Amino acid sequence: MRVGTFVLAAQFPGQGQGEALHRAVRTAEVAEEAGLDSVWLAEHHFVPYGVCPSAVTLAAFLLGRTRRLRIGTAVTVLPTAHPVSLGEQAALLHLTSGGRFTLGVGRGGPWVDLEVFGAGLDAYERGFPEALDLLLRWLTEPRVGATGERFAFREVAVVPRPDELIEGPAAPEVVVACTSPRSVRLAAERGLPMLLGMHCGDEDKAEMVAAWARCAREAGRTPDEIARIADGHVSAGVVQLADGGADAAEALLKAMPGWLKQGLDAHVTVDGRHRAMRDPVAYTELLCGLHPVGTPRSAADRLAATSERTGITRFALLAEGSGDLAATEENVRRLGAEVLPLLV
């Protein structure tokens, strides 16, 4: 089982943006010290929900600060990025880190980001498959041109080539954030593993994994291929450890609702459509019930149960839910020292 931490760089009420980013960096450093497998970095624009606007940039920094950890984006929002530029950055990080970089991509939401970066609503509503296919071609072919609706350009050389890595995989790992049947099918048809969100419980994730496998079979993939690719699915969640289960939940219920309200309320849609936001307290309670929040023993049992029900063996767990730097560091250390040994 591969357990990593999910870093949002969340700005809690009363905190500065630099403070949130410092906590994000320290979380990654402590994760490596604690023996975790990976760090996954979120990307947001114009909102305190997360103050990292470029997961790839922060990944580059953290790859330079670490030696063993796999660093992934969770996710880079593809509709607001050019697939070729993103592919160049991914190849660069793949090569210079010795293959430790994972590129997670997703559609994002219908936010004002689409207006600011000039992508437009159509890039979100219809353009994701074209952008993903162009990105994948860039990461696997020596020369690439495009004749699509959104991207059209003459053939150019891929520089640097990801397959120039002396030892390791020929291309960066790519995962796709999936929240709908359409994105599940897209990932399956492209032969890519899924990143499943923290708002989903085991039953929902198991259904998405089964749907993905069904779509992969329909796309002509062999059982061995399906098993190999499915080994890369990632389950996002929350972790909070304490000597008593009630204490762990209380730590999150004290801090997370204020952050969620402040962060989610700041989202602005590009076209003025109404977006119903979750009740912060109810959502925090939901997360406490779905994920490893409690004693180390109960957390290990929860991760094992999720893995058994879903078939997923890879986790990205948000550890900064208390909003406090020292508490986050302790949480990550306990995850490595007291939970991981119970999962062997």
Side-chain angles (χ1 to χ4, degrees):
M1 198 174 293
R2 293 161 290 172
V3 178
T5 187
F6 180 29
V7 174
L8 277 166
Q11 183 184 2
F12 286 73
Q15 294 181 351
Q17 295 166 3
E19 185 177 351
L21 289 169
H22 175 65
R23 188 177 63 250
V25 172
R26 283 296 299 150
T27 299
E29 292 173 337
V30 174
E32 176 152 271
E33 297 167 7
L36 270 61
D37 169 78
S38 52
V39 169
W40 299 85
L41 306 170
E43 172 178 298
H44 296 89
H45 298 281
F46 324 125
V47 293
Y49 183 77
V51 300
C52 171
S54 173
V56 170
T57 301
L58 186 54
F61 179 76
L62 293 178
L63 285 166
R65 292 286 282 261
T66 59
R67 293 294 175 266
R68 178 192 56 78
L69 276 179
R70 174 164 289 277
I71 307 292
T73 63
V75 293
T76 297
V77 181
L78 194 49
T80 55
H82 195 293
V84 170
S85 177
L86 182 58
E88 289 179 326
Q89 295 172 72
L92 183 63
L93 295 186
H94 176 67
L95 292 167
T96 56
S97 69
R100 289 193 291 129
F101 177 66
T102 295
L103 179 61
V105 295
R107 286 178 67 221
W111 309 125
V112 71
D113 315 7
L114 297 164
E115 175 186 320
V116 174
F117 295 113
L121 189 59
D122 190 60
Y124 163 73
E125 292 186 331
R126 298 196 309 113
F128 186 65
E130 179 189 345
L132 179 61
D133 288 342
L134 177 55
L135 171 66
L136 295 176
R137 289 177 56 214
W138 190 267
L139 294 175
T140 55
E141 299 178 10
R143 296 182 64 84
V144 174
T147 57
E149 291 184 25
R150 186 178 176 205
F151 303 103
F153 54 86
R154 72 188 70 182
E155 187 178 272
V156 293
V158 173
V159 179
R161 290 270 301 276
D163 58 5
E164 290 291 320
L165 186 64
I166 296 173
E167 294 182 3
E173 178 187 35
V174 178
V175 302
V176 178
C178 293
T179 58
S180 68
R182 183 170 64 168
S183 56
V184 170
R185 176 171 292 278
L186 181 69
E189 291 175 345
R190 271 60 173 184
L192 301 174
M194 301 183 293
L195 171 66
L196 301 181
M198 66 175 63
H199 60 285
C200 297
D202 292 350
E203 183 177 344
D204 289 337
K205 288 179 178 176
E207 289 177 357
M208 295 176 80
V209 169
W212 179 92
R214 184 169 59 253
C215 293
R217 287 193 298 272
E218 292 171 357
R221 301 199 177 275
T222 67
D224 286 347
E225 280 184 297
I226 292 172
R228 175 181 56 80
I229 299 167
D231 190 53
H233 292 327
V234 184
S235 174
V238 173
V239 64
Q240 187 66 37
L241 302 172
D243 294 332
D247 294 335
E250 182 180 359
L252 297 185
L253 285 165
K254 281 183 177 179
M256 286 186 68
W259 157 61
L260 288 168
K261 178 171 176 51
Q262 172 181 272
L264 295 176
D265 283 352
H267 282 81
V268 176
T269 57
V270 67
D271 55 358
R273 73 178 71 178
H274 175 69
R275 296 284 290 185
M277 295 301 178
R278 296 176 181 270
D279 175 81
V281 175
Y283 187 40
T284 302
E285 291 174 340
L286 172 69
L287 295 176
C288 289
L290 292 177
H291 300 300
V293 175
T295 66
R297 177 74 265 178
S298 68
D301 290 345
R302 165 57 65 183
L303 290 171
T306 295
S307 183
E308 181 178 354
R309 293 165 184 161
T310 66
I312 298 174
T313 60
R314 209 171 173 195
F315 293 88
L317 303 175
L318 178 74
E320 61 183 315
S322 68
D324 179 78
L325 174 60
T328 299
E329 291 185 8
E330 180 185 9
N331 200 28
V332 173
R333 289 193 176 97
R334 294 192 72 173
L335 179 60
E338 301 178 46
V339 177
L340 292 190
L342 300 176
L343 297 173
V344 176

